Amino acid sequence: MNFIMDDTSMVSSGSLLSEAVGALASPHKLLTSMLCLLIAWPVVASSIRNRRARNLVENYPYLNRASMSQMTDEHAFQIQKQVAQLEFPFMFIKSLQFALFRTYGIPTISALLTKTTQFSNPETSLKRYTDTSALVQEMVGNDPTSQRAFLGLARTRYLHRGYRSSGQILEEDMLYTLGLFALQPIRFIDRFEWRTLNEMERCAIGTFWKSAGDALDISYDPLPSGKSESGFRDGIQWLEEMEEWCEEYEARCMLPDVKNREVADQTTAVLVYMLPTFMHPVGLQFVSFMMDERLRKAMLYDPPTPFWSTVFSILLTTRKLFLRHLMPPRPNFLRYQSFTEEPDEDERFFLTKWEAAPYYVKPTLWNRWGPTAWLTWALGRPVPGDEGDKYSPTGYSISDLGPKGLEGKGKKELEDFLAQMKDYRTGKCPFH
């Protein structure tokens, strides 16, 4: 046997040996690389996650309270839009839903809703819920000087005008409802989300809703700075005074009443609409969990059981930590957008998501056969396009949103409101 090998053979044999050793070592290297990635990823994710909050300082000229007193309505809208569509979309939407829900703990509000049957009647509550959501989204989701925002505000003023002039809706109730739309997102985000809001974001929310209150002709006279010549310093002061006043108002007016429970039950039915029937008791436990003791007593609701309180607390804490340390930020192309940005050929708009009955959702192939549609179908619920025109598959006109009997009405009032808003709602600072 010949044991003599030439240089080429030796090199070839060495390469084969190196490849064999590399193959044996690669699982170890792969495992080490994966371990390093797992250790580094939370640091990277957390850093990326906070980038938008850091960029606010670079994008907007509001570095301290003195400069925030000059914050414009346009900038406030843009900052709040980032909060609502990119940073905390889930909790922002839920907070607005619970803001509306909280108003039902006031007997003067729930009594009127029961009288009109719009929220207390299951035949109308789903549509009324969707109409209210659509109007709020038109106000919050569009540029403050846009025609859509003007129409949303003008239609809201019209729908409340008769009740306010007759005294059936108290001006304090209007101020309280406005305050909740500003305060609840801050409370929910600070309590349940992966970070708290910074001072600029709080100021933006206060500035935006103060301006919206002006457009809705809501008086701030009950607030300390509402009557003073100097007025409010900035959106943060407006929020602070609103929070203090709302606390006093609730202590005085949020009282137990069977009418509160009647309206709350119908609204709760909307909130658990997309849960299987056997999960409805769990949904009710969650709704109660999200209430504080004062609201529960006013609604005549029982507190959640200790077991479910523990479960919900663990789930929400886990979600918070997962988002903070492991999830990258939501990219702009996945921003939460619940309505179409452009009208169709008939100048009508559509909702792109539905949490209850599919009102105003276009029956496209995706909406009728996509994942949400399959889930809806599995629950025995209607999908977009079902039952003819019942769910308005042709979309909505902003000037017609509201009770069926008011569709097509109020055109002259809308024109007057729009003319007023164009004179003073120009996207500038609402405090100066």
Side-chain angles (χ1 to χ4, degrees):
M1 184 178 293
N2 187 2
F3 290 95
I4 300 175
M5 296 185 291
D6 59 19
D7 292 343
T8 304
S9 300
M10 292 179 66
V11 171
S12 178
S13 299
S15 299
L16 290 174
L17 181 61
S18 298
E19 290 178 6
V21 172
L24 291 173
S26 60
H28 175 70
K29 290 182 179 179
L30 179 61
L31 183 61
T32 302
S33 299
M34 291 178 64
L35 185 61
C36 291
L37 180 61
L38 287 174
I39 294 173
W41 177 246
V43 178
V44 175
S46 297
S47 176
I48 299 174
R49 263 256 166 217
N50 287 282
R51 183 181 298 168
R52 287 197 179 101
R54 293 194 298 267
N55 287 347
L56 286 177
V57 177
E58 300 174 7
N59 296 334
Y60 300 98
Y62 310 114
L63 305 181
N64 49 45
R65 285 292 294 271
S67 58
M68 287 181 193
S69 66
Q70 305 295 322
M71 183 177 286
T72 66
D73 196 15
E74 175 64 33
H75 284 169
F77 162 74
Q78 294 293 344
I79 295 169
Q80 180 179 249
K81 184 179 179 180
Q82 176 174 293
V83 168
Q85 295 187 357
L86 291 169
E87 291 286 84
F88 316 107
F90 176 78
M91 209 54 73
F92 191 90
I93 292 298
K94 291 303 173 188
S95 69
L96 294 181
Q97 293 172 348
F98 273 89
L100 193 63
F101 185 85
R102 192 173 186 84
T103 65
Y104 307 152
I106 308 297
T108 53
I109 295 176
S110 61
L112 177 61
L113 292 172
T114 303
K115 181 180 178 181
T116 63
T117 73
Q118 289 301 308
F119 269 112
S120 60
N121 186 339
E123 291 299 318
T124 56
S125 59
L126 290 171
K127 181 179 183 299
R128 188 70 182 87
Y129 173 85
T130 307
D131 286 340
T132 302
S133 298
L135 281 171
V136 172
Q137 290 172 41
E138 290 294 333
M139 291 186 281
V140 174
N142 291 293
D143 189 288
T145 60
S146 67
Q147 182 74 359
R148 288 182 70 170
F150 281 178
L151 280 172
L153 290 162
R155 183 61 175 174
T156 302
R157 279 183 63 169
Y158 171 73
L159 292 175
H160 291 86
R161 184 181 186 182
Y163 296 114
R164 292 173 73 178
S165 61
S166 65
Q168 295 182 75
I169 292 181
L170 304 178
E171 290 306 304
E172 281 193 334
D173 293 343
M174 292 293 295
L175 181 61
Y176 174 65
T177 303
L178 177 75
L180 289 184
F181 279 128
L183 294 168
Q184 288 295 87
I186 297 173
R187 291 168 178 168
F188 271 52
I189 290 169
D190 286 354
R191 182 181 174 190
F192 300 117
E193 277 293 356
W194 55 273
R195 71 168 173 88
T196 58
L197 293 172
N198 59 42
E199 195 171 50
M200 192 188 301
E201 290 166 330
R202 292 170 185 268
C203 185
I205 292 175
T207 302
F208 176 88
W209 285 104
K210 194 274 180 183
S211 175
D214 291 338
L216 293 170
D217 195 30
I218 294 176
S219 171
Y220 296 126
D221 285 351
L223 306 185
S225 299
K227 290 183 178 179
S228 67
E229 292 184 7
S230 57
F232 300 96
R233 174 184 173 187
D234 52 31
I236 294 176
Q237 184 189 14
W238 184 87
L239 281 173
E240 291 170 345
E241 292 192 14
M242 183 66 79
E243 184 169 26
E244 185 176 344
W245 180 83
C246 285
E247 172 62 26
E248 181 276 327
Y249 174 82
E250 285 188 358
R252 175 166 46 91
C253 300
M254 186 173 279
L255 304 171
D257 194 289
V258 67
K259 297 297 184 184
N260 300 350
R261 178 61 186 258
E262 189 175 337
V263 179
D265 282 346
Q266 289 302 324
T267 307
T268 300
V270 175
L271 295 175
V272 302
Y273 182 86
M274 288 298 287
L275 291 176
T277 304
F278 74 90
M279 289 289 290
H280 282 193
V282 179
L284 293 174
Q285 290 279 327
F286 183 72
V287 171
S288 180
F289 172 80
M290 298 297 283
M291 300 183 198
D292 57 83
E293 189 61 24
R294 176 187 288 163
L295 181 59
R296 279 194 212 100
K297 288 182 177 179
M299 297 291 200
L300 305 178
Y301 270 49
D302 293 326
T305 66
F307 170 79
W308 283 113
S309 291
T310 302
V311 170
F312 297 142
S313 295
I314 291 173
L315 289 175
L316 288 169
T317 301
T318 302
R319 174 185 179 273
K320 179 193 299 187
L321 295 175
F322 178 77
L323 290 175
R324 180 186 298 165
H325 298 295
L326 297 176
M327 281 292 290
R330 181 185 292 256
N332 192 62
F333 73 90
L334 289 179
R335 70 188 186 280
Y336 184 89
Q337 185 75 8
S338 56
F339 53 74
T340 53
E341 294 186 344
E342 300 296 332
D344 67 1
E345 61 274 9
D346 297 316
E347 294 298 311
R348 298 176 72 82
F349 299 95
F350 297 88
L351 297 181
T352 58
K353 306 177 188 300
W354 70 97
E355 295 186 20
Y359 282 100
Y360 310 128
V361 181
K362 193 171 186 177
T364 62
L365 184 65
W366 175 258
N367 286 336
R368 284 189 60 81
W369 297 99
T372 304
W374 276 101
L375 175 61
T376 305
W377 175 82
L379 294 172
R381 307 296 190 191
V383 299
D386 282 359
E387 302 185 44
D389 295 331
K390 180 176 180 178
Y391 300 109
S392 303
T394 57
Y396 64 88
S397 170
I398 303 171
S399 58
D400 284 332
L401 286 170
K404 198 76 174 176
L406 293 179
E407 288 183 10
K409 296 182 179 179
K411 302 298 183 184
K412 177 63 170 60
E413 290 85 347
L414 248 61
E415 291 176 3
D416 293 341
F417 292 153
L418 291 175
Q420 294 174 27
M421 277 186 269
K422 287 177 181 177
D423 289 336
Y424 69 86
R425 190 170 168 82
T426 59
K428 297 180 180 179
C429 180
F431 299 107
H432 299 280

